[in-house]
Amino acid sequence: QVQLVESGGGLVQAGGSLRLSCPASGRYAMGWFRQAPGKEREFVAAISWSGGNTAYADSVKGRFTISKDNAKGTVHLQMYSLKPEDTAAYLCAAVRSYSVSGYYTGAKAYEYWGQGTQVTVSS
């Protein structure tokens, strides 16, 4: 059983940055999703087990970077130029991967989920 616990959320002013982290030991492709109150869960970023392949939602492309440190067993989401519309609970997700380069942008692909860490961006 994989237990995912996100960390690094908080309150930041617009234009600021935050770095989210999530444990990622083992052969798992990882993803970050976010969910604001009253809204559907949406894809943010994904990374392959190897860390060599990534994908981003258009709304965060160029501002967010997902990375994976397999030696430390951690996946990070570095967020720059944050906007009020980025305010949401950010959830880490994992799926066992048999592909070095595969990543997944759909929530249904993931087997394990964290509880989320709140990111609030003030204007």
Side-chain angles (χ1 to χ4, degrees):
Q1 185 73 17
V2 176
Q3 301 224 342
L4 302 176
V5 180
E6 304 89 343
S7 61
L11 173 64
V12 64
Q13 288 189 328
S17 61
L18 282 173
R19 188 192 196 203
L20 307 183
S21 299
C22 179
S25 296
R27 195 167 179 145
Y28 293 93
M30 305 294 293
W32 286 97
F33 291 75
R34 65 187 182 188
Q35 189 163 18
K39 293 190 176 182
E40 296 283 321
R41 184 172 297 183
E42 65 170 343
F43 167 74
V44 175
I47 191 165
S48 60
W49 163 72
S50 67
N53 296 80
T54 59
Y56 297 92
D58 288 343
S59 59
V60 307
K61 205 171 289 183
R63 299 189 297 122
F64 291 11
T65 300
I66 188 170
S67 62
K68 198 165 182 279
D69 187 335
N70 283 326
K72 294 185 178 180
T74 308
V75 63
H76 300 289
L77 184 69
Q78 179 68 57
M79 305 184 293
Y80 296 105
S81 302
L82 282 161
K83 305 174 181 179
E85 50 264 43
D86 294 318
T87 295
Y90 282 70
L91 299 96
C92 176
V95 58
R96 183 167 290 278
S97 177
Y98 299 95
S99 166
V100 172
S101 59
Y103 56 80
Y104 307 90
T105 60
K108 290 183 179 180
Y110 289 89
E111 300 173 279
Y112 305 101
W113 291 85
Q115 293 296 310
T117 184
Q118 180 65 34
V119 171
T120 302
V121 185
S122 62
S123 57

